[in-house]
Amino acid sequence: MPAGWEIKSVSFNGAPAEPPPASGDYTWQMENLPAVELEPSSPSILTLAPWVGVTFLPPGDKHPPVTWTGLARVLTELNAGQAEPNDAIAAKARSLVEGATTDIDKIRAIGRFTQQLNYVSIQLNLAKGGGYRPHTAAESFQKLYGDCKDKANLTRAMLKAVGITAYPVAIYSGDRTHAREDWPSLGSFNHAISAIRVGADTQSPAVLDHPKLGRLLFFDPTDPYVTLGYLPGHEQGSLALLGAGDDGGLVRIPADLAIAAEHDRQVDVVLSPAGDGLS
């Protein structure tokens, strides 16, 4: 570590605790670990294997302890000004919601549009928050493509144009156990969705009653198949970061009832006389 810097680490699944530094070097070491055999639908490797989360803190008093509330402010700042609708966005949003009589109908109409935008990911300026700062809504609308944060950002801009408030959300796609409450870090996330303010009349498995912001409907415009009001299974029940300034922070994404994912299958088979095959 450079002189004056410090680290904070959190150990998981039996990994060694933070060792004392030796000449600025830190070492976590384990030996003779058994192989982890992953099976279909098994927990993720992070749930099973020892690992260490490390946060680097530069010298000086202007860097307060890393907290989820502080990271929510960072996420809010990175998204600030990017979801401003221009005249073209506002006109398109109004045309999409024409005839809609309720907010949820307006949200569905805009959601269908942004879900169909082409997904293209071009990562720039990653060392300074580029992985969390979307292109402006005007750029995404003009080109009609973008990555997850661009699609979520354009969704918020179009909703804003018709009077509906939404917030940026960082989440991990593919493993609902990836983010850990006791390790505040933007490195816990690889995906972006939106949280949309809705009224009491909106009933959906993807709605969370937030203690400060009211009812929030979580929506993933990157998934082209899961309709608004629901979330992909791998996101349900995840911890996610809500970018709503001091009112934001770490939240638990709602999970649908297990019965909602139930599948009934009927298979007619005939066993061969020798018992060695099916038809």
Side-chain angles (χ1 to χ4, degrees), residues 171-224:
I171 194 171
Y172 193 88
S173 174
D175 178 8
R176 70 184 70 185
T177 67
H178 189 87
R180 303 296 183 99
E181 188 171 2
D182 45 358
W183 185 46
S185 172
L186 285 178
S188 299
F189 310 108
N190 67 351
H191 190 47
I193 61 175
S194 292
I196 307 165
R197 294 186 70 172
V198 294
D201 57 333
T202 299
Q203 302 297 321
S204 162
V207 168
L208 171 72
D209 285 311
H210 192 274
K212 294 181 179 179
L213 301 172
R215 292 174 63 76
L216 298 176
L217 172 66
F218 290 88
F219 171 55
D220 185 350
T222 301
D223 192 304

Side-chain angles (χ1 to χ4, degrees), residues 91-263:
K92 181 62 176 180
R94 287 193 294 267
S95 71
L96 288 171
V97 304
E98 187 175 358
T101 57
T102 65
D103 281 350
I104 191 62
D105 288 336
K106 296 176 182 179
I107 297 169
R108 285 196 184 101
I110 289 172
R112 284 192 295 268
F113 174 79
T114 55
Q115 274 184 303
Q116 300 311 309
L117 260 65
N118 291 319
Y119 179 90
V120 177
S121 179
I122 302 174
Q123 303 295 339
L124 299 173
N125 199 28
L126 294 180
K128 297 183 179 179
Y132 293 87
R133 183 174 176 84
H135 293 87
T136 64
E139 290 177 283
S140 300
F141 183 72
Q142 180 187 27
K143 300 180 183 302
L144 293 180
Y145 68 76
D147 62 10
C148 59
K149 59 185 178 291
D150 296 326
K151 288 162 71 76
N153 183 68
L154 180 57
T155 301
R156 295 192 297 275
M158 300 186 84
L159 291 171
K160 184 176 182 178
V162 296
I164 298 173
T165 300
Y167 305 98
V169 177
I171 194 171
Y172 193 88
S173 174
D175 178 8
R176 70 184 70 185
T177 67
H178 189 87
R180 303 296 183 99
E181 188 171 2
D182 45 358
W183 185 46
S185 172
L186 285 178
S188 299
F189 310 108
N190 67 351
H191 190 47
I193 61 175
S194 292
I196 307 165
R197 294 186 70 172
V198 294
D201 57 333
T202 299
Q203 302 297 321
S204 162
V207 168
L208 171 72
D209 285 311
H210 192 274
K212 294 181 179 179
L213 301 172
R215 292 174 63 76
L216 298 176
L217 172 66
F218 290 88
F219 171 55
D220 185 350
T222 301
D223 192 304
Y225 306 113
V226 179
T227 58
L228 187 139
Y230 299 87
L231 285 169
H234 58 86
E235 294 175 13
Q236 295 179 26
S238 300
L239 288 171
L241 185 62
L242 175 62
D246 290 336
D247 292 333
L250 196 67
V251 297
R252 178 75 66 180
I253 298 295
D256 202 354
L257 296 175
I259 195 171
E262 180 184 22
H263 294 279

